[in-house]
Amino acid sequence: SFDSIRTALEHRADDFYSRYLQLPLDLPARIYNLAYEITEGMASDYEKAEAIARYLSRHCSYTLTPGEVPENRDFVDYFLFDKPEGYCVYYATAMTVLLRCVGVPARYVEGFLVNAQDRTAERDVYAVTTESAHAWPEVYFEGLGFIVFEPTTSYSQQPVTTPPAAT
């Protein structure tokens, strides 16, 4: 019946949103405060995601040797407030957490970023090494699904985001 289908879909949506909005209970309050400060006045989830990506790419420095996060410190808090230096894992984690703080569903993804110049001439074969490893956040937009964003300073000059169609 229609009611059972609607109930099943509502349950599935609840599960989905609870998964992609989940945050640690002990997340420092100043992370929430920063997320709200960055996104103040933003009308759409897309604008919020763009603002957070822009903030991270402008306020954090890219390095492959950021040092260790002190024991008993929140990873994102330390990156955002104490030592804003890191590589893609730092940026993707921070953006995912900041988005979730303002109620925008997001997920952290790891994979490989392969460029056309990595392709061998004789075939469509790509050289994929650990140097191609990358992490990025994906932001969920109702009706569209997950969209890739790139907050990492060294990659942010290469736009990979596409604004979702207006609904």
Side-chain angles (χ1 to χ4, degrees), residues 6 15 37 45 49 53 66 86 88 118 122 124 136 141 145 150 163 167:
R6 189 176 89 202
D15 287 347
E37 181 183 312
D45 287 354
C88 57
D118 295 334
E122 64 276 358
D124 283 338
W136 59 91
F141 297 98
E150 185 53 77
T167 55

Side-chain angles (χ1 to χ4, degrees), residues 16-35:
F16 177 85
Y17 281 98
S18 68
R19 173 181 297 192
Y20 295 110
L21 291 174
Q22 187 175 37
L23 289 165
L25 295 175
D26 61 349
L27 189 70
R30 65 183 184 169
I31 296 175
Y32 285 97
N33 294 338
L34 179 62

Side-chain angles (χ1 to χ4, degrees), residues 71-138:
E71 202 170 316
N72 298 321
R73 282 298 309 278
D74 181 86
F75 179 83
V76 173
D77 184 77
Y78 185 75
F79 175 62
L80 291 173
F81 297 102
D82 297 319
K83 192 173 181 190
E85 300 175 353
Y87 46 90
C88 57
V89 169
Y90 289 68
Y91 288 83
T93 303
M95 184 165 175
T96 301
V97 168
L98 289 167
L99 284 165
R100 290 179 176 194
C101 284
V102 293
V104 178
R107 65 185 179 191
Y108 169 91
V109 180
E110 288 183 355
F112 294 92
L113 186 63
V114 180
N115 295 313
Q117 63 262 26
D118 295 334
R119 192 175 121 232
T120 60
E122 64 276 358
R123 299 182 303 182
D124 283 338
V125 175
Y126 292 82
V128 180
T129 66
T130 55
E131 291 178 9
S132 302
H134 190 51
W136 59 91
E138 292 181 345

